[in-house]
Amino acid sequence: MTTNLIAETSVVAGASVRNDHISALKFITCGSVDDGKSTLIGRLLVDSKAVLQDHLAGVQRQGETDLALLTDGLSAEREQGITIDVAYRYFATEARKFIIGDAPGHEQYTRNMVTAASSADAAVVLVDATKLDWQNPGLQLLPQTRRHSLLAHLLRVHSLVFAVNKLDAVEDPALAWKHIQGALQAFAQAAGITVRATVPVSALKGWNVVDAHAGWCGYDGPTLLQVLEELPNTPADTALPLAFPVQWVEKFSSSSDTSQGRRVFWGRVAAGSFAPGAAVQIFPSGQLATVAQVLDHARRPQDVPAGTSAGIILDREVDVSRGDWILAAPTAAAAPATEDDFGDTPAATPAWPASRELHTTVAWMDDEPLVAGRVYWALHGHRWVKAKVKAVVHKLNINTLAEEPSTQLDPNAIGHVQLVLQEAIPAAAFGQARILGSLILVDTASHKTAGAVLVN
């Protein structure tokens, strides 16, 4: 009995170690309209025993459970039977915690999907088998399946999983699975997308979602939940030079300690890892300083890596405001070869060079098309600058994946755009640094988010 108790305690302890907030996987479900995204999330919640009985009783319709209502919380969503805004739900298994974002499938709500994907570790793209010509080996995928997959790839979502839904509603599930899986593989290969897994599921019946349905469609691989439990979190950009966008300035000027600055600069570390003694430079003022103290989110002194909130105290008083950046100090230039060398000393190399002209990939989300000459507000970190569209180079054809010459980007289009900023910003390629390489464009008149920008 003692042995069993020790064993059970060890299992619980091990589960709690794995099931902490650090290992929580944040993923979204996306795809075309009525592919079963909300129903799939409802099935995950119900079969993993994450729904209370009174909540389950509240989504009964004509004696049957409507799983989609577990996530469609807005009255307009329940009336129309569609998802409009992103709904977040939480559940946990013995192996892991999960945060789910149910992204809308309608093309006009693509901006909501982009918002959800920008902070996700993984994306589950649902494919409705009943909407495809599943008997055709060369079948064409739906435009939204392609668009959402490309957006997830562009936004550096670390893991992409295809879930082929509603195979229970076709005459020959095995043939449909074979043809759809082939089409998904061909599309992903052509788009340069790495797919972690492709799973045949029935969200309505629960097959291969949480519980396996052995041999169905000739598939004997892991269930969708098993795949999700093994997916890695998005790695933070800790190996890069320090970068920290200042979100809030806290002053405690009543302190009598003059050995360091008397203000705390709060925000989330974008790159690198902050520790006392690090040499930094303030952007845009260019002032140099040294980090005197680093506080975590609970105000405990300790080193803070990228992706984590921190409070930075410098060694002296420096003019820093919301929207400024605290960056790694420039690399010192090499000393002259000889003392009598009167040549100009090379300038120090900045860790994050600032630029006014950006070559970008833009996911356009405004109702008005993007054309050259328009001016928008651009948000980079917490810094607002004016941005002018210099040129629209091309747009991406989501059906052929070809880059087509264009003079404008229509709503929900993706393309290559050149921007000119009123002020320089420390931008980097999005593929190198997720935070420094991303901006949003905001309409100067309506203040609506108009586009998601990824620096090339």
Side-chain angles (χ1 to χ4, degrees):
M1 181 174 180
T2 304
T3 304
N4 291 339
L5 180 60
I6 294 174
E8 291 175 4
T9 304
S10 300
V11 171
V12 172
S16 64
V17 169
R18 295 191 303 271
N19 198 6
D20 59 9
H21 71 283
I22 296 176
S23 65
L25 183 79
K26 187 174 184 180
F27 71 94
I28 63 168
T29 56
C30 50
S32 194
V33 182
D34 292 331
D35 280 354
K37 296 179 292 296
S38 298
T39 302
L40 177 72
I41 293 179
R43 176 60 62 188
L44 281 169
L45 296 174
V46 170
D47 287 2
S48 62
K49 308 296 188 293
V51 181
L52 298 176
Q53 288 296 327
D54 56 348
H55 191 186
L56 201 58
V59 295
Q60 297 292 321
R61 294 293 182 270
Q62 298 178 349
E64 296 185 359
T65 302
D66 190 341
L67 297 174
L69 295 181
L70 289 172
T71 54
D72 291 341
L74 299 176
S75 59
E77 292 177 328
R78 295 184 177 227
E79 290 170 0
Q80 301 179 53
I82 62 173
T83 300
I84 296 175
D85 201 359
V86 181
Y88 289 99
R89 293 294 181 267
Y90 310 87
F91 77 100
T93 65
E94 290 185 359
R96 202 167 196 182
K97 290 182 180 178
F98 296 94
I99 305 172
I100 319 173
D102 183 15
H106 283 68
E107 186 174 330
Q108 73 185 89
Y109 301 126
T110 300
R111 70 193 71 180
N112 296 9
M113 179 269 170
V114 171
T115 301
S118 64
S119 60
D121 297 311
V124 178
V125 181
L126 259 75
V127 180
D128 187 345
T130 63
K131 296 178 183 176
L132 302 176
D133 184 15
W134 56 267
Q135 296 174 323
N136 179 10
L139 62 89
Q140 291 294 317
L141 300 173
L142 296 177
Q144 278 297 79
T145 302
R146 291 171 166 267
R147 180 180 286 110
H148 282 189
S149 301
L150 288 170
L151 285 172
H153 177 60
L154 288 172
L155 291 166
R156 266 184 69 188
V157 176
H158 197 61
S159 301
L160 188 73
V161 177
F162 285 120
V164 183
N165 193 26
K166 303 184 184 180
L167 285 166
D168 56 300
V170 301
E171 295 178 6
D172 191 343
L175 182 64
W177 162 245
K178 178 182 177 182
H179 290 168
I180 295 173
Q181 183 186 28
L184 291 171
Q185 288 178 344
F187 162 70
Q189 185 175 2
I193 299 174
T194 301
V195 180
R196 293 280 181 171
T198 305
V199 185
V201 301
S202 170
L204 185 64
K205 296 183 178 180
W207 296 347
N208 287 343
V209 179
V210 173
D211 301 317
H213 196 66
W216 182 51
C217 300
Y219 177 83
D220 290 312
T223 65
L224 180 61
L225 182 60
Q226 289 172 335
V227 170
L228 294 173
E229 286 180 336
E230 296 299 323
L231 292 181
N233 293 93
T234 302
D237 297 322
T238 54
L240 300 175
L242 296 176
F244 179 83
V246 178
Q247 183 176 1
W248 177 51
V249 179
E250 176 192 2
K251 63 178 182 179
F252 54 101
S253 53
S254 59
S255 171
S256 59
D257 183 6
T258 59
S259 64
Q260 61 184 28
R262 293 186 290 175
R263 290 183 297 166
V264 186
F265 308 112
W266 291 96
R268 178 169 292 183
V269 182
S273 181
F274 268 88
V280 296
Q281 183 177 41
I282 310 304
F283 180 89
S285 69
Q287 299 177 84
L288 298 174
T290 302
V291 176
Q293 196 173 356
V294 182
L295 307 177
D296 68 2
H297 66 283
R299 295 180 178 272
R300 296 170 300 199
Q302 67 178 47
D303 298 354
V304 177
T308 310
S309 297
I312 308 298
I313 302 175
L314 301 178
D315 65 330
R316 61 190 182 88
E317 290 295 344
V318 180
D319 183 14
V320 180
S321 305
R322 174 183 169 89
D324 290 352
W325 286 81
I326 300 177
L327 306 172
T331 304
T338 61
E339 293 184 1
D340 59 351
D341 188 348
F342 293 96
D344 292 336
T345 302
T349 304
W352 297 104
S355 176
R356 287 187 59 232
E357 293 199 15
L358 303 178
H359 295 267
T360 67
T361 298
V362 175
W364 192 243
M365 299 179 286
D366 199 3
D367 297 329
E368 296 292 329
L370 175 70
V371 295
R374 289 290 303 271
V375 176
Y376 297 89
W377 280 111
L379 178 63
H380 181 247
H382 301 290
R383 188 172 192 81
W384 291 95
V385 296
K386 286 286 186 70
K388 184 176 182 179
V389 180
K390 182 178 180 180
V392 177
V393 181
H394 65 67
K395 66 178 179 180
L396 182 68
N397 186 320
I398 63 169
N399 293 312
T400 64
L401 303 179
E403 297 177 348
E404 301 175 346
S406 178
T407 57
Q408 68 178 39
L409 287 186
D410 297 321
N412 297 307
I414 303 170
H416 181 196
V417 177
Q418 295 180 8
L419 297 177
V420 178
L421 307 180
Q422 191 175 35
E423 303 173 14
I425 60 172
F430 186 77
Q432 176 192 10
R434 194 170 185 173
I435 305 300
L436 287 100
S438 60
L439 303 88
I440 62 170
L441 295 180
V442 177
D443 190 281
T444 56
S446 66
H447 303 295
K448 292 194 303 183
T449 300
V453 182
L454 311 178
V455 179
N456 295 334

